[in-house]
Amino acid sequence: MVFDPLQPKRNSFELEAFDVDSRTGFMPLRPPVRRLPAPWAVWEKLLDDARRDHLQPGDRLGLKLTEMEDSERWRAAVREIPLFPIDNLVKVSELLRRAHLVLTFIMHFYIHTLPPDSSVLIPRPISIPLLQVAKVLDLPPVVTFSDTVLYNWNSNSDAAVNPNEIPSLDNIQCQTLFTDTPDESAFYLCSARIELHGVQALNLMRSSIDEISIGDSLAINRLTSYLTSLCTVINELNSLLLDVRKGCDPEIYYNVVRPWFRGEDSDTYLDPGSGKNRRWVFEGAGDYADLNMLPPDRELSGASAGQSSLIHALDVFLGVNHEKPNAPSFMKRMQRYMPRQHRRFLDHLGKNPRSLREFVLTTSSRDHDDGALKEAYNKVLVSLKEFRDSHMVIAALYIIGPARRAAEAFASSTAGEAMIAEPMNDAVTGITGTGGTDLVRFLKGVRHQTIRTMFSDEEYAGSS
């Protein structure tokens, strides 16, 4: 497939115009490319070596000298590879996506195996092609949700037997992992299954928008039915979210998996407790005038569920507004990390001439309205609020609890006391998500905004 930078038509709500599939949603219909061909296969080999050698984070307590030496040997190999051009990569979007995944995984291995008191200089053989690929894809040069979830899966089935099989909740597996643990795989697959099942929500949104444009009594009845179905789908997404507990151990996730996809905005090794981040310097970037790929506020966040276009689409469709005056919200900032066409889909959805919330409100002035539409709308928001309740449960289980236990272990460790520069501990300074935000405050905030979007009886009656 040739890479097409053209914008989709603005007068269409066809999902495919935004690289969204009516069968698989924001995930591609066919498995992503498994490996890059020559000459970029050298990058694949570096990533293979890092995974084979089970490189360890440089801030891990009890890190052995041999493990430090293994990491440095691998980093030296990264520094010594040639600088490969990407001219032929840009012709094929699937190869570009694989290149972004491979290069960002290598970069994160390189950075997070460094001693915590070392500065970060990303070697030119990685920094330059990564910045170039990131520019073409219009993505930041950092591991994103699209790398770990959307474009990081294979089919369990034999492609020769079922070449046209559509990915489903039961027939996918992960392509590339940092740790090769079942827990990391289960963590990514939980999000992938939510994305796949969420296509039902996208199709219900599309049908609902059609009914809003018609606006008569029959359309209102059909819209009410669609919202009732959407409520069911979100409840099913909630169950899929909680299913992560079946395959991902909280301690392994927090201590073994999560350290690898931290972003620059969570990297405070050089000055722990100061709130200042260790800067990630891309070697050679200054030699290329067109490689200014960093956001104006220099934010490089790690992969986060906040980068899921599906959850953003639910908010936009239902009218849940997370924006604040004078500065973009965390949710808005996370849209930078989504594939370009998916961002355009959200923008297109948000510019619908008549929003769902406005339509529900105006139906109260009609003689035939019996309140069923408002009730269905509010129930969808209750389901979304309960989904966010479950997100808080998962955050407590996988981040908050392990962070506190890690803090206790660190405080009692003589090795920790002797370290010249210790990494800031989440449990001591304020627990952050991989997106770099204050986790508890963020989760409570989005839940509160979901609740605020519901219609009260007084508000609904006041529009009559």
Side-chain angles (χ1 to χ4, degrees):
M1 174 179 165
V2 177
F3 185 74
D4 182 7
L6 296 178
Q7 294 190 17
K9 296 178 181 179
R10 290 294 180 184
N11 60 352
S12 170
F13 196 69
E14 290 303 314
L15 298 176
E16 286 73 13
F18 300 92
D19 201 19
V20 181
D21 194 275
S22 60
R23 294 156 291 183
T24 58
F26 293 104
M27 289 181 64
L29 181 62
R30 302 297 173 217
V33 172
R34 295 194 182 200
R35 295 184 70 85
L36 293 168
W40 313 288
V42 173
W43 300 339
E44 297 276 7
K45 176 64 165 53
L46 284 173
L47 183 52
D48 289 343
D49 291 345
R51 297 170 62 194
R52 179 203 64 208
D53 294 342
H54 300 291
L55 300 184
Q56 297 297 309
D59 64 328
R60 199 198 76 191
L61 289 179
L63 193 65
K64 298 176 182 177
L65 178 60
T66 54
E67 292 172 322
M68 298 179 192
E69 292 171 345
D70 288 344
S71 293
E72 176 48 36
R73 275 194 294 271
W74 179 83
R75 290 195 301 270
V78 173
R79 295 191 291 268
E80 292 168 2
I81 67 169
L83 177 61
F84 294 109
I86 70 159
D87 296 2
N88 290 325
L89 274 179
V90 301
K91 300 176 182 178
V92 185
S93 60
E94 291 87 351
L95 292 180
L96 277 172
R97 290 169 183 152
R98 178 64 187 176
H100 191 275
L101 185 157
V102 171
L103 290 168
T104 54
F105 268 57
I106 291 172
M107 181 186 75
H108 279 248
F109 266 122
Y110 193 96
I111 291 170
H112 294 306
T113 57
L114 287 168
D117 58 345
S118 296
S119 57
V120 174
L121 179 64
I122 303 159
R124 183 186 295 260
I126 297 301
S127 68
I128 299 305
L130 173 54
L131 289 171
Q132 291 171 333
V133 166
K135 180 180 180 182
V136 178
L137 289 175
D138 195 18
L139 284 173
V142 67
V143 165
T144 68
F145 181 86
S146 65
D147 293 309
T148 59
V149 176
L150 300 184
Y151 305 117
N152 188 27
W153 59 273
N154 291 322
S155 173
N156 289 331
S157 305
D158 187 343
V161 177
N162 299 302
N164 298 316
E165 184 178 32
I166 296 174
S168 67
L169 304 189
D170 301 320
N171 72 351
I172 57 171
Q173 61 187 5
C174 287
Q175 275 190 355
T176 306
L177 305 171
F178 284 106
T179 65
D180 287 333
T181 59
D183 307 82
E184 183 181 1
S185 178
F187 185 76
Y188 298 155
L189 287 176
C190 172
S191 292
R193 291 177 180 126
I194 288 172
E195 294 290 330
L196 285 173
H197 195 65
V199 70
Q200 297 182 36
L202 296 176
N203 287 319
L204 286 166
M205 290 181 207
R206 178 164 59 175
S207 298
S208 297
I209 289 173
D210 290 340
E211 301 303 337
I212 291 172
S213 66
I214 297 171
D216 61 17
S217 59
L218 290 177
I220 291 172
N221 289 337
R222 288 191 293 266
L223 176 59
T224 302
S225 175
Y226 294 148
L227 292 180
T228 300
S229 297
L230 182 58
C231 183
T232 299
V233 171
I234 296 175
N235 290 339
E236 292 165 349
L237 298 180
N238 193 354
S239 296
L240 289 172
L241 173 61
L242 293 172
D243 278 349
V244 72
R245 299 172 295 181
K246 297 177 181 178
C248 183
D249 180 87
E251 297 297 330
I252 293 177
Y253 169 74
Y254 185 82
N255 294 298
V256 178
V257 177
R258 187 174 183 262
W260 291 112
F261 44 84
R262 291 172 295 191
E264 184 193 50
D265 58 2
S266 299
D267 187 343
T268 59
Y269 291 147
L270 285 181
D271 197 3
S274 69
K276 297 180 180 179
N277 299 333
R278 181 169 68 165
R279 306 292 271 180
W280 294 6
V281 178
F282 292 80
E283 184 181 27
D287 300 337
Y288 297 77
D290 60 343
L291 287 185
N292 183 21
M293 273 302 302
L294 298 180
D297 55 2
R298 183 58 197 245
E299 177 187 70
L300 285 177
S301 296
S304 165
Q307 297 164 10
S308 166
S309 300
L310 173 65
I311 305 305
H312 284 249
L314 286 169
D315 279 337
V316 173
F317 175 68
L318 294 169
V320 181
N321 183 11
H322 301 289
E323 293 311 300
K324 299 178 180 179
N326 305 322
S329 68
F330 171 79
M331 294 291 279
K332 188 66 175 179
R333 299 199 312 274
M334 286 299 98
Q335 291 185 19
R336 299 172 178 171
Y337 299 84
M338 298 174 185
R340 168 172 38 206
Q341 296 293 71
H342 298 174
R343 297 197 305 266
R344 289 173 176 163
F345 171 80
L346 294 176
D347 182 63
H348 187 70
L349 182 62
K351 291 180 178 178
N352 192 51
R354 197 172 189 186
S355 72
L356 171 64
R357 194 173 193 278
E358 176 191 352
F359 182 78
V360 173
L361 186 61
T362 57
T363 59
S364 65
S365 63
R366 302 184 183 186
D367 294 338
H368 57 257
D369 174 54
D370 60 0
L373 180 60
K374 184 208 74 169
E375 182 179 359
Y377 174 80
N378 276 351
K379 283 183 177 179
V380 176
L381 287 166
V382 169
S383 293
L384 185 57
K385 179 261 184 189
E386 290 173 348
F387 179 87
R388 289 183 156 136
D389 288 341
S390 294
H391 195 175
M392 294 188 70
V393 170
I394 296 300
L397 184 62
Y398 284 85
I399 300 176
I400 298 172
R404 288 172 178 159
R405 289 188 287 275
E408 293 169 0
F410 184 83
S412 63
S413 168
T414 55
E417 294 170 359
M419 288 180 69
I420 295 175
E422 65 192 47
M424 178 182 71
N425 192 283
D426 286 342
V428 175
T429 58
I431 298 169
T432 60
T434 50
T437 189
D438 183 307
L439 183 60
V440 176
R441 182 182 301 172
F442 163 70
L443 293 176
K444 287 183 176 179
V446 293
R447 183 180 64 176
H448 177 67
Q449 287 303 114
T450 305
I451 295 171
R452 286 190 60 189
T453 308
M454 298 179 195
F455 286 116
S456 65
D457 291 338
E458 294 77 12
E459 180 181 12
Y460 197 68
S463 65
S464 301

